[in-house]
Amino acid sequence: MAATLICSSLPMAAQADGAKVVTIGANLTDEQKKSMYDYFGTTPEAVNTIEVTNTDERKYMEGIASEAQIGTQTYSCSYVEPTTSGGIQVKVGNLTFVTSSMIASTLLTSGVENCNVVAASPFEVSGTGALTGIMMAYEKASGETLSEEQKSAATEELVTTGALADAIGKEEAEKLMNEVKKEVIENDLTDADKIKDAITDAAKDSNITLTEEQMAQINALMKNISQYDYDVNSLKQTLENLEGKVNDSGFFQNLWTSVKNFFTGGSNSGDGGIINDTKDEVLGENAVIDSTLEVSGNDSETDEDEGGFWDKVTGFFKNLFGGNDKDEDESKEDSETEDNSEKDIENDSEASDGTEQPVDTAGSLDSEGTDNETAPADEGALNASDNPPNAEVPNNNGGDTANTDTQATDTNSNDNTGDAQ
């Protein structure tokens, strides 16, 4: 019955999740572009590709981000896969200013509900412009047109969260913004005073002190977000992903998901899909890697398939309804241990009677330099015109000017960071 249900349902699921789009930074070299396809685990022939320029980024970032954050060149790339459930899962590589949580949360604001995203650069950049390419890729992959106003609000949220992170820390800023947004959307808060109360409560719960300017900017952002309609369930799914919570959808839903994933080779809902295909070694051993899957406790590496088809079928139901091979092996080991213990007792008994024991002859086992470095943002202010720490200038690109992916050297940590992109 399970096989019949799966066979009748899989074609629809495959069609729904089949579209994948890659965006490539226009200012990368041909070799760097190839390395990004390698990192994503795909090829230009297997996906649709969009080249993202600095002009594309300015469309959403001008008036919100500073010139240093926007820059003049584009290096960040993305790989986007719309899905039908699981919320938003994100992985970033070599983005030093923008985190996977920031992108996931701001994608919610743009109107995206379910998708898997990888955003990366062949060298360290800040990633502030990565959101532009991701939204472009999602629209092409899904066939859905996102609201221009919501996309602008998403960009504003990314810049605001990043500036707040400079002042109080990335994790604290992400948590605060997510908590306030959840409260605003779930309770349909549109009044500035009520939104201010929500911000105050969230800051108090996290033991965070905000300046009046920071309070005002967060309030203005949330009031802007509050005017749009959002799917509360999708919102909660993604925010729970970011908090590491497991969404309990009931026995039969979990059973169906388990059976479907067993036959399709997938894992739990929200497992990341294309995120599991990435090859971190392509970016180098010192690459900055950050994923929402790490927060939610999912393992991005899949186990190798073992045995034939019917072995998998019998193994699945065997494991589902009682025990598995590991349990049997452990039971067998326990049994063998008990037998050996009894034999040892008998041998000891014989030894005590003066019988010569055999001698154990086997013995025993001991148990990159850059140009145009931008000054870090003022930690005391939450201003969109402030520059991110280590505003980026691309590594190994000689005299490139500051750009959307501005890459710079952090003299304190020896990390090469950058990317106003």
Side-chain angles (χ1 to χ4, degrees):
M1 181 181 68
T4 301
L5 289 172
I6 290 164
C7 289
S8 63
S9 301
L10 289 183
M12 183 180 298
Q15 183 178 12
D17 292 353
K20 301 174 185 177
V21 174
V22 165
T23 67
I24 293 291
N27 296 106
L28 294 176
T29 65
D30 289 342
E31 183 178 354
Q32 290 168 338
K33 291 176 182 178
K34 181 182 181 302
S35 73
M36 294 314 300
Y37 284 106
D38 293 340
Y39 172 68
F40 292 143
T42 189
T43 63
E45 296 74 26
V47 295
N48 292 311
T49 299
I50 299 174
E51 186 172 87
V52 181
T53 67
N54 185 253
T55 301
D56 294 321
E57 295 181 0
R58 285 180 176 275
K59 180 180 179 181
Y60 298 107
M61 298 184 71
E62 273 190 324
I64 297 175
S66 67
E67 276 298 313
Q69 289 172 319
I70 299 173
T72 60
Q73 298 186 17
T74 299
Y75 297 106
S76 294
C77 304
S78 68
Y79 188 19
V80 176
E81 174 189 42
T83 57
T84 56
S85 63
I88 300 171
Q89 296 284 14
V90 179
K91 179 176 182 177
V92 300
N94 274 342
L95 304 189
T96 59
F97 180 65
V98 175
T99 67
S100 60
S101 178
M102 287 183 194
I103 291 178
S105 182
T106 52
L107 277 179
L108 278 175
T109 300
S110 73
V112 176
E113 295 180 356
N114 300 290
C115 75
N116 297 318
V117 174
V118 183
S121 169
F123 42 77
E124 291 185 6
V125 294
S126 68
T128 52
L131 182 63
T132 299
I134 295 170
M135 292 187 296
M136 291 171 65
Y138 178 82
E139 288 183 318
K140 184 174 182 63
S142 67
E144 175 186 351
T145 300
L146 300 173
S147 160
E148 293 296 321
E149 291 77 14
Q150 284 182 253
K151 287 190 286 187
S152 179
T155 303
E156 180 184 355
E157 180 183 342
L158 186 71
V159 173
T160 302
T161 305
L164 183 61
D166 288 344
I168 66 174
K170 286 184 179 180
E171 290 186 8
E172 290 79 4
E174 292 167 2
K175 181 179 179 182
L176 176 66
M177 296 294 282
N178 289 343
E179 285 297 322
V180 174
K181 183 161 67 173
K182 183 178 179 182
E183 183 74 13
V184 167
I185 295 175
E186 283 189 342
N187 295 302
D188 196 23
L189 303 182
T190 58
D191 180 75
D193 290 336
K194 291 184 177 180
I195 293 175
K196 182 177 180 180
D197 290 340
I199 299 171
T200 301
D201 291 341
K204 183 178 180 180
D205 290 343
S206 298
N207 196 27
I208 294 172
T209 301
L210 299 174
T211 66
E212 287 299 319
E213 183 179 4
Q214 290 168 343
M215 287 283 293
Q217 291 194 6
I218 297 173
N219 198 323
L221 169 65
M222 292 301 166
K223 185 167 180 57
N224 184 15
I225 291 175
S226 70
Q227 65 182 305
Y228 307 113
D229 292 328
Y230 293 98
D231 185 297
V232 175
N233 290 330
S234 296
L235 172 81
K236 292 176 66 176
Q237 171 72 69
T238 295
L239 293 182
E240 286 172 356
N241 287 345
L242 302 183
E243 295 170 1
K245 295 179 180 179
V246 178
N247 185 30
D248 183 8
S249 52
F251 172 77
F252 287 105
Q253 178 61 42
N254 290 332
L255 174 61
W256 165 248
T257 300
S258 298
V259 172
K260 182 178 74 171
N261 289 331
F262 173 78
F263 283 97
T264 60
S267 56
N268 293 332
S269 176
D271 70 345
I274 58 173
I275 293 177
N276 298 321
D277 299 329
T278 54
K279 298 177 175 58
D280 293 345
E281 64 274 11
V282 172
L283 300 183
E285 61 180 12
N286 296 320
V288 177
I289 304 296
D290 172 36
S291 172
T292 58
L293 293 176
E294 296 173 0
V295 178
S296 60
N298 293 317
D299 189 351
S300 62
E301 298 180 359
T302 56
D303 295 332
E304 295 183 359
D305 294 334
E306 298 180 359
F309 174 77
W310 289 111
D311 289 336
K312 291 182 179 181
V313 175
T314 57
F316 169 77
F317 286 103
K318 183 177 180 181
N319 294 338
L320 182 65
F321 293 108
N324 53 36
D325 292 340
K326 182 178 180 181
D327 294 334
E328 292 181 0
D329 291 342
E330 292 177 349
S331 177
K332 184 177 180 181
E333 291 176 0
D334 292 341
S335 177
E336 291 176 350
T337 301
E338 292 177 358
D339 292 342
N340 290 335
S341 297
E342 293 177 358
K343 291 180 181 179
D344 291 340
I345 294 173
E346 292 177 358
N347 290 337
D348 290 342
S349 177
E350 291 177 0
S352 64
D353 293 337
T355 305
E356 183 177 355
Q357 300 300 313
V359 177
D360 181 3
T361 58
S364 60
L365 296 177
D366 296 327
S367 353
E368 187 178 57
T370 62
D371 296 328
N372 303 312
E373 181 172 353
T374 305
D378 180 0
E379 295 185 355
L382 183 59
N383 192 316
S385 64
D386 287 345
N387 298 321
N390 310 315
E392 315 157 7
V393 176
N395 284 337
N396 303 320
N397 282 338
D400 285 350
T401 58
N403 39 55
T404 294
D405 294 335
T406 354
Q407 195 177 24
T409 302
D410 185 340
T411 56
N412 293 326
S413 63
N414 295 323
D415 287 337
N416 292 325
T417 59
D419 173 286
Q421 116 63 358

